[in-house]
Amino acid sequence: MSEAATEYSREARARIVAALSAHRDPERAVGMARYMRDQFPFLGIPTVERRALHREAIAGLPPPGEADLTGLALALYALAGREYQYVAVDHLVRHVRVCGAGFLAVARELIATKSWWDTVDGLAARVVGPLVLAHPALADEMDRWIEDDNTWLARTAILHQLTYKGRTDEARLFRFCERRAGDREFFIRKAIGWALREYSKTDPAAVQAFIAQNDTKLSKLSKREGMLWITGRKPRRRE
């Protein structure tokens, strides 16, 4: 992954690294890594503390532009220590409104790098989703991602409308769910159920009808998760 450093991104990176590295907890890091199936090394900083350190580290910096966000995100993704990727996602979520349609290419690179649900889901719903909503032509790219062999790009396509509520493109959501309904990958099946469940809070009848019509196509997991809100049960596990 190449870095496109700016003055802002260099300064923000230096501050963030200094702040987080000073609060690493090797003992806690072992448990955090284990929870993520030892996919990545951790510094051992819990979420609340990490976000406070992030806020303190960047205090006083000017508002970033798109190039600044690109440079910082790529720089943080290049670092060992999963918390740096969490900071990158949080930073993008906070400032995604300044990004144009072209930023989707950066989001794609991040989704395909050090991929796991803990970073991908935030990028999907709170970075890619707002980008597509602000630039409707990007929905065509979601049509391509749902066909991609990369599980995380397909999961992003399914989840990008997660926060849309009444603005959801129902036809696209259902088409994506049906397209990957037979996928044997857990993270795809779970994403389908999660997307359907969230939309059921807006239109439960439509979701119930879709699940009934695709009963033999959808996995048991997708159907169960998709019906949780309708049946009045609560999710028991992370997405």
Side-chain angles (χ1 to χ4, degrees):
M1 179 183 290
S2 59
E3 296 183 22
T6 65
E7 182 177 351
Y8 173 97
S9 68
R10 284 190 289 268
E11 176 64 20
R13 177 193 181 279
R15 292 188 184 193
I16 290 165
V17 170
L20 269 61
S21 61
H23 289 79
R24 64 171 65 234
D25 183 336
E27 186 175 344
R28 180 181 280 123
V30 173
M32 294 174 73
R34 185 181 301 119
Y35 182 72
M36 288 296 166
R37 301 183 186 178
D38 292 311
Q39 296 283 322
F40 314 99
F42 278 77
L43 301 176
I45 305 173
T47 300
V48 173
E49 182 180 358
R50 183 193 78 239
R51 286 179 171 161
L53 291 170
H54 176 195
R55 288 193 300 270
E56 293 167 7
I58 64 171
L61 288 178
E66 182 174 326
D68 300 321
L69 295 173
T70 298
L72 181 57
L74 296 180
L76 292 175
Y77 259 71
L79 297 174
R82 191 58 166 169
E83 289 87 344
Y84 292 121
Q85 284 85 68
Y86 295 161
V87 169
V89 174
D90 284 348
H91 207 68
L92 292 178
V93 168
R94 184 181 303 176
H95 297 290
V96 66
R97 64 187 178 278
V98 308
C99 296
F103 194 77
L104 188 64
V106 179
R108 179 186 177 117
E109 186 172 358
L110 298 176
I111 290 164
T113 302
K114 299 183 178 179
S115 308
W116 200 242
W117 64 265
D118 56 335
T119 53
V120 169
D121 292 356
L123 291 168
R126 303 185 66 195
V127 176
V128 174
L131 284 173
V132 175
L133 199 59
H135 308 281
L138 293 179
D140 291 343
E141 189 66 15
M142 296 299 99
D143 291 342
R144 288 185 278 275
W145 287 16
I146 195 62
E147 302 292 340
D148 204 284
D149 291 336
N150 185 307
T151 292
W152 303 105
L153 290 176
R155 181 172 166 101
T156 296
I158 294 166
L159 295 179
H160 82 278
Q161 298 192 81
L162 205 62
T163 65
Y164 283 18
K165 299 182 179 179
R167 295 175 292 182
T168 299
D169 182 337
E170 181 182 290
R172 178 170 272 109
L173 170 64
F174 289 164
R175 176 160 52 82
F176 283 7
C177 291
E178 185 175 5
R179 170 64 185 85
R180 303 299 292 240
D183 203 305
R184 299 190 64 81
E185 169 58 55
F186 169 83
F187 287 109
I188 295 295
R189 293 183 172 193
K190 189 75 169 180
I192 291 170
W194 186 12
L196 292 174
R197 184 176 77 240
E198 284 303 304
Y199 187 54
S200 75
K201 299 174 184 178
T202 298
D203 193 338
V207 171
Q208 192 163 10
F210 173 79
I211 291 174
Q213 291 164 6
N214 292 276
D215 181 68
T216 60
K217 296 180 182 178
L218 292 164
S219 69
K220 291 181 180 179
L221 173 61
S222 297
K223 289 185 288 187
R224 183 175 67 249
E225 293 291 318
M227 290 293 292
L228 281 177
W229 186 263
I230 295 170
T231 57
R233 292 179 292 159
K234 294 182 179 180
R236 291 174 292 178
R237 297 184 297 177
R238 287 185 176 271
E239 307 304 338

